Amino acid sequence: MTAEQELEVNAYVLASSRLRASSRGYKALKTLFEHGNLLYWCIGKDDTLELAKILIHLKFRYSHVSGGLQVLSEHKRDFYYLVMHRKTVRNQQYKNTQLSVGKPDRYGDDKPGWAQQILANKELHK
């Protein structure tokens, strides 16, 4: 993983966290990515665990070490290829695809589907 890609991951996670740039959490997250680890004594155990919740929400992998959190270069690489890069590839591959629920082509407009048939049977047996 190149240094540019690592900086791109750092910027993406910091922007996606939606923390204010002047907040303690933003500075702690920035420290975590710059140095690779963040110890409990820096911002407190409770705030460090809140920071871990943000990483979980962003689907960013991290490690718990004795006394804090650690981010390895493998975690950044996985995030880059599995989360960031995946979205761009998926959007380019399937531009005109629409997701549909069920199988509308199985039944014509005049034939009821299975759910309508069950409801109709219940009404007949009343």
Side-chain angles (χ1 to χ4, degrees), residues 52-117:
K53 289 180 185 178
I54 291 172
L55 293 174
I56 290 170
H57 177 71
L58 295 174
K59 299 177 184 171
F60 191 90
R61 239 179 47 176
Y62 64 93
S63 301
H64 280 283
V65 293
S66 59
L69 303 175
Q70 182 178 21
V71 172
L72 302 174
S73 61
E74 293 87 28
H75 300 152
K76 290 182 182 182
R77 184 194 63 221
D78 292 344
F79 186 80
Y80 181 78
Y81 288 113
L82 296 176
V83 177
M84 292 174 61
H85 185 65
R86 183 182 206 180
K87 289 181 182 178
T88 58
V89 170
R90 185 182 309 150
N91 290 341
Q92 290 172 0
Q93 265 183 337
Y94 307 108
K95 292 178 188 172
N96 299 325
T97 304
Q98 294 179 354
L99 296 177
S100 62
V101 178
K103 298 180 181 178
D105 58 338
R106 185 172 181 182
Y107 301 106
D109 292 333
D110 55 345
K111 294 183 182 179
W114 63 270
Q116 288 84 9
Q117 288 175 358

Side-chain angles (χ1 to χ4, degrees), residues 114-126:
W114 63 270
Q116 288 84 9
Q117 288 175 358
I118 292 172
L119 292 174
N121 288 337
K122 284 184 180 180
E123 289 178 7
L124 289 175
H125 292 330
K126 283 186 180 178

Side-chain angles (χ1 to χ4, degrees), residues 1-15 26 30 33-34 76-77 79-80 84:
M1 181 169 208
T2 65
E4 264 183 31
Q5 290 172 335
E6 283 193 26
L7 291 175
E8 189 177 342
V9 169
N10 294 351
Y12 183 86
V13 172
L14 287 170
Y26 184 88
K30 190 173 179 181
F33 284 114
E34 287 176 355
K76 290 182 182 182
R77 184 194 63 221
F79 186 80
Y80 181 78
M84 292 174 61

